[in-house]
Every structure is written in structure tokens, then in C-alpha cells.
């Protein structure tokens, strides 16, 4: 199922993220603009339901405040000092991209607000040289993605290897400050980052649960 970057009606415009519906039943609405918020939200919600969404989340408009908060997306950062040793990074190649994508999507299906990667999205990471395998002593520990000063993704293939994978990914970061974005209800990731010394620096986005549209009156 494909995302809809611009879902527009006479009442507004939004981006609809639908790729997660086959895996988790969740659709995401990012409202860009609207002249009639209740009507436009209902149009978005009805469309998401029509394509199979069981839970619908929305962000991007102050009128969403009455809805229950599903999660907040936090920005966190950590200073890296000294040499980073241990596991090794191997850039993903065209021939290994499909396996990398499979590992990523299998792991992210149950992670709150994690994006399911399409082939186009994975190819974009490959073109930007952002995707990596993480090995230690010849064994696959996990995978990840890094761009500039930000770790975009981390997946552990070995229980308890999260910190070693993260430190390996940090070695590809430009500068001595590492940034991540994480949903606050992603408890395992929050615990890992806090244990490593990451600190919150701000709230990037708030997702509200609009599955039960309180504005809609038949």
C-alpha cells in the first residue's frame, strides 16, 4: 500500500501514511492546512478506514489537542568522546539491500510509530550511503542507518547487542554530537538511549489518536 504525499479536498491538504496498515493496521495523517478542520479531518479518517486502517493517528494542527495523545516523538542527543571501538560497519550494497530491508521491516512491525520501508525508501537510503550492517567477530549484530549527525535507525539481531550496535553506528556520525528521534512509548529504545547517556532536547511531533472522531456528527 502506497503513501499519499498530498491528499487534498476543498477543505484542506494532508499527507497520509498508509504503508503500515498491512502490518499493524495503523494509518498516519499529517495535516498541512485546512479551512474547515472538523470536515477535513473526517474526510481523512474516512479515507483511511476505507483502505483498511483500524487505528488512525494525526498530527500537525492545534485543533487536535482534545484527542488522546498516542505518543510524542522526542529529539535526543549524546556527546561522543574518545575512540569508538568494537563492532564494525559494512555499507549496504545493491545486492544486500533486499536482506537489509527485510530485517528492518520484520523488526519494526511491532515498534510504535516506526515506518515500514518501501523499496523506494530503501533505495533512497542506499543512494545516500546511509544504510549499514553491523558485524562483530564475523557475526551479524544488527543493522542501522546514519546520516550526518543523526542515527536514523537501529535494529538488533542479537539480544542485548543494542548498545554495541549503537556505538558502531556512532562511528559514522559527523561530529561529536549524536542525535536520534524516538517515540516516547518505544520503551526498549528509550531505555537504551537513556542508559547510553542520551538526553531529550525537544518534542518534534505529537501524534493524537483520532480513530474515534469526536468532531464527527452523523
Amino acid at each position: 500500500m502506497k503513501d499519499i504525499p498530498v491528499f487534498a479536498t476543498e477543505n484542506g491538504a494532508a499527507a497520509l501514511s498508509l504503508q503500515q496498515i498491512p502490518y499493524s493496521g495503523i494509518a498516519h495523517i499529517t495535516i498541512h492546512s485546512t479551512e474547515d478542520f472538523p470536515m477535513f479531518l473526517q474526510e481523512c479518517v474516512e479515507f483511511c478506514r476505507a483502505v483498511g486502517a483500524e487505528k488512525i493517528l494525526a498530527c500537525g494542527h492545534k485543533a487536535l489537542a482534545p484527542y488522546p495523545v498516542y505518543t510524542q516523538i522526542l529529539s535526543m542527543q549524546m556527546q561522543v568522546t574518545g575512540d569508538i571501538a568494537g563492532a564494525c560497519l559494512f555499507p549496504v550494497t545493491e545486492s544486500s539491500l533486499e536482506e537489509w530491508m527485510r530485517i528492518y521491516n520484520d523488526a519494526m512491525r511491532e515498534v510504535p510509530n516506526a515506518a515500514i520501508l518501501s523499496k523506494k525508501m530503501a533505495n533512497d537510503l542506499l543512494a545516500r550511503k546511509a544504510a549499514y550492517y553491523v558485524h562483530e567477530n564475523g557475526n551479524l549484530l544488527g543493522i542501522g542507518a546514519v546520516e550526518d549527525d543523526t542515527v536514523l535507525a537501529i535494529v538488533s539481531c542479537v539480544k542485548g547487542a543494542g548498545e554495541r550496535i549503537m556505538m558502531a553506528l556512532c562511528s559514522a556520525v559527523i561530529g561529536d554530537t549524536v542525535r536520534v528521534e524516538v517515540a516516547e512509548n518505544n520503551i526498549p529504545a528509550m531505555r537504551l538511549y537513556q542508559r547510553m547517556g542520551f538526553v531529550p532536547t525537544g518534542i518534534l511531533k505529537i501524534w493524537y489518536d483520532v480513530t474515534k472522531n469526536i468532531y464527527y456528527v452523523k
Side-chain angles (χ1 to χ4, degrees), residues 28-161:
H28 295 78
I29 302 167
T30 301
I31 298 174
H32 295 318
S33 63
T34 178
E35 297 298 324
D36 186 338
F37 174 81
M39 181 60 70
F40 183 59
L41 180 64
Q42 184 58 28
E43 290 171 334
C44 293
V45 168
E46 286 183 343
F47 184 89
C48 291
R49 285 178 178 151
V51 296
E54 299 173 1
K55 181 182 287 291
I56 305 167
L57 309 178
C59 71
H61 199 283
K62 62 183 180 181
L64 290 165
Y67 288 89
V69 173
Y70 177 75
T71 193
Q72 298 183 114
I73 306 301
L74 305 180
S75 173
M76 303 183 77
Q77 69 178 40
M78 176 184 72
Q79 296 297 118
V80 177
T81 58
D83 295 330
I84 301 174
C88 299
L89 297 182
F90 293 89
V92 173
T93 64
E94 191 170 334
S95 62
S96 64
L97 179 62
E98 187 173 341
E99 177 65 6
W100 186 93
M101 181 178 167
R102 183 195 65 76
I103 294 171
Y104 178 92
N105 283 341
D106 284 350
M108 292 299 174
R109 285 183 177 125
E110 304 300 324
V111 176
N113 268 66
I116 298 299
L117 291 183
S118 65
K119 188 64 179 292
K120 182 178 182 301
M121 295 164 69
N123 278 326
D124 184 51
L125 287 173
L126 177 65
R128 286 150 49 193
K129 299 181 179 179
Y132 295 92
Y133 285 97
V134 183
H135 286 254
E136 186 178 64
N137 299 324
N139 298 311
L140 177 65
L141 285 187
I143 64 171
V146 180
E147 189 166 40
D148 297 331
D149 64 351
T150 303
V151 174
L152 303 173
I154 172 174
V155 171
S156 177
C157 297
V158 177
K159 187 175 181 180

Side-chain angles (χ1 to χ4, degrees), residues 76-78 80 149 151 166 170 173 176-180 198:
M76 303 183 77
Q77 69 178 40
M78 176 184 72
V80 177
D149 64 351
V151 174
M166 189 60 166
C170 286
V173 166
D176 58 5
T177 299
V178 181
R179 305 181 195 279
V180 296
F198 281 87

